[in-house]
């Protein structure tokens, strides 16, 4: 049995002029991708509704990201179901072919 060492580190990021600390064990490239996505969503939300307060802009960005996540999750479940159906069909065809050659 191997022991796995998980090392968390502090990452600081800035949103609307306010600094936020975050402890994470995610890879640096993952953290950067996440923070870039958050910044992109915040920029998009603030441009589309420039009259909103920063906290409301952050909520709007969160809702947008959650909506994208839900759609992606649904699409993935449909993809898994489709692949499972294709695998079952292929398995049945292989079984039928093997039965007919026996």
């Amino acid at each position: 049995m191997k022991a796995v060492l998980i090392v968390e580190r502090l990452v600081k990021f800035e949103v609307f002029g306010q600094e936020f600390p975050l402890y994470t064990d995610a890879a640096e490239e993952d953290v950067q991708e996440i923070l870039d996505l958050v910044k992109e969503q915040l920029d998009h939300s603030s441009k589309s509704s420039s009259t909103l307060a920063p906290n409301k802009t952050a909520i709007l960005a969160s809702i947008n990201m959650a909506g994208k996540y839900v759609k992606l999750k649904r699409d993935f479940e449909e993809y898994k179901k489709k692949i499972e159906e294709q695998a079952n069909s292929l398995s049945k065809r292989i079984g039928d072919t093997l039965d007919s050659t026996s």
Side-chain angles (χ1 to χ4, degrees), residues 18-43:
Q18 187 173 357
E19 190 174 88
F20 294 89
L22 168 71
Y23 283 94
T24 182
D25 62 348
E28 182 61 35
E29 64 188 33
D30 291 347
V31 171
Q32 192 56 55
E33 189 172 351
I34 291 165
L35 295 178
D36 288 346
L37 177 62
V38 169
K39 183 178 181 332
E40 178 184 311
Q41 289 298 311
L42 288 170
D43 287 346

Side-chain angles (χ1 to χ4, degrees), residues 76-93:
F76 180 67
E77 290 301 320
E78 289 174 10
Y79 173 77
K80 281 191 340 183
K81 183 178 177 184
K82 181 180 175 184
I83 293 300
E84 187 176 294
E85 289 170 357
Q86 289 175 345
N88 289 338
S89 174
L90 184 56
S91 178
K92 184 180 180 331
R93 286 176 38 198

Side-chain angles (χ1 to χ4, degrees), residues 43-53 57 60:
D43 287 346
H44 177 74
S45 294
S46 66
K47 286 178 185 170
S48 65
S49 212
S50 60
T51 59
L52 287 179
T57 301
L60 182 59

Side-chain angles (χ1 to χ4, degrees), residues 95-102:
D96 291 348
T97 301
L98 289 175
D99 289 343
S100 69
T101 60
S102 300

